[in-house]
Amino acid sequence: IFALTGIMLLFVSILWFMRTHQPRWVFLGSLGLGVAYTSHELTYIVAFIFLLFLVAAAFLYEPVANRLLYGDGRYGPDEVNPVKSAWSSLIKQKWTLVGGVLVFAAMYLVFFTSLFTKPQLVLSGIVEGFNYWFNQQDDSRGGQPVFYYGLLMLLYETLALFAGIGTIIYMIVKAIQGRPDRLGPGDDAESSLDEAQNDPYGYPLPITDGLRGLTLSFLAFWSIAAFIAFSMAGERMPWLTMQIALPFSLLAAAGLG
């Protein structure tokens, strides 16, 4: 549950930093990554999924921005690439980067040196921890079949699974049609904030409409990638199902909402 909490905090922090470019979200994201990393080695999988999506979004956002738009089209397609703009701003915020590294390092040092009582183990979390986790993939801990998580999701997370899949299908249809969603009655006030703005470093901030589409794509990618990655991993245990259920639940909530 600690790893799940840390991953959720990291996800939220990534989205809010892309929206605001505020340093506090870097610190909170580092805290979330630290909580997850010191709790479970599955953080390697989720961190890779997040990184893979962000890299892909950095290069593919512009061609599909108008198809990802969520709103009434009053501003047209968002011309700001949220990932590239956030990264450019982050590079300028050198002390923010240093602070984020220090937050993560503080948690790492406290936990992987057993409250500083065993400083000789300072590298164990990176070197030995990764080697142990990587080598365990061939042991198939749990001895469950590759469709194990599909079965558990079907039995225990039925609403999240089917609503999440339905949302993905809906997104694909909308992307093919090239028609943005329309604002709901309660969404108009949020989008009223979205005139073009720049952060203190001169980099443009994305509009909420465009970031909503990116968020849905992020959730869809995370859901499918987590399902595939954890199904292929050697360790298949029932408590790891929550790592698949989390993105599917968020995606289902966004779709039903």
Side-chain angles (χ1 to χ4, degrees):
I1 191 66
F2 292 107
L4 200 70
T5 302
I7 289 168
M8 183 64 188
L9 178 58
L10 175 62
F11 174 70
V12 172
S13 298
I14 290 173
L15 295 178
W16 271 105
F17 183 76
M18 286 194 291
R19 178 65 183 92
T20 66
H21 299 180
Q22 294 175 348
R24 60 181 175 180
W25 298 112
V26 176
F27 305 146
L28 287 173
S30 297
L31 177 62
L33 181 61
V35 170
Y37 188 81
T38 55
S39 299
H40 204 287
E41 60 272 11
L42 59 84
T43 306
Y44 291 120
I45 297 177
V46 180
F48 178 75
I49 292 173
F50 282 14
L51 181 61
L52 187 61
F53 174 81
L54 292 174
V55 170
F59 291 98
L60 300 178
Y61 182 79
E62 284 87 352
V64 298
N66 60 329
R67 296 179 182 273
L68 295 176
L69 186 65
Y70 178 99
D72 58 3
R74 73 181 68 180
Y75 304 110
D78 190 2
E79 297 179 356
V80 179
N81 185 315
V83 180
K84 285 185 177 180
S85 183
W87 175 251
S88 299
S89 180
L90 183 60
I91 293 300
K92 289 289 186 178
Q93 302 180 44
K94 293 182 174 58
W95 288 112
T96 299
L97 280 170
V98 171
V101 171
L102 289 177
V103 169
F104 178 83
M107 291 202 62
Y108 177 90
L109 291 173
V110 167
F111 284 97
F112 282 101
T113 61
S114 299
L115 298 178
F116 304 107
T117 59
K118 298 180 179 179
Q120 69 274 17
L121 299 179
V122 66
L123 296 179
S124 63
I126 298 176
V127 180
E128 297 179 19
F130 179 80
N131 286 337
Y132 172 79
W133 171 78
F134 187 79
N135 293 329
Q136 284 294 313
Q137 302 308 308
D138 294 330
D139 293 342
S140 299
R141 293 177 59 189
Q144 302 297 341
V146 70
F147 57 84
Y148 179 64
Y149 292 121
L151 181 62
L152 291 185
M153 287 292 292
L154 186 63
L155 290 175
Y156 299 108
E157 301 291 346
T158 309
L159 178 59
L161 178 64
F162 285 104
I165 292 174
T167 302
I168 293 174
I169 294 173
Y170 175 81
M171 291 169 60
I172 293 174
V173 172
K174 282 291 185 179
I176 294 174
Q177 293 177 342
R179 291 190 297 110
D181 281 323
R182 298 301 173 187
L183 289 173
D187 293 333
D188 189 66
E190 297 180 17
S191 289
S192 65
L193 304 174
D194 284 333
E195 299 291 346
Q197 299 178 28
N198 292 335
D199 68 10
Y201 301 91
Y203 293 101
L205 299 173
I207 62 173
T208 301
D209 291 348
L211 197 55
R212 279 172 172 164
L214 182 69
T215 301
L216 282 173
S217 299
F218 198 164
L219 288 171
F221 183 87
W222 180 12
S223 299
I224 298 301
F227 186 88
I228 295 174
F230 282 98
S231 295
M232 293 178 61
E235 182 182 13
R236 303 187 189 99
M237 296 293 186
W239 54 82
L240 294 180
T241 308
M242 67 178 69
Q243 298 297 332
I244 303 172
L246 174 61
F248 266 102
S249 297
L250 296 173
L251 181 62
L256 294 176

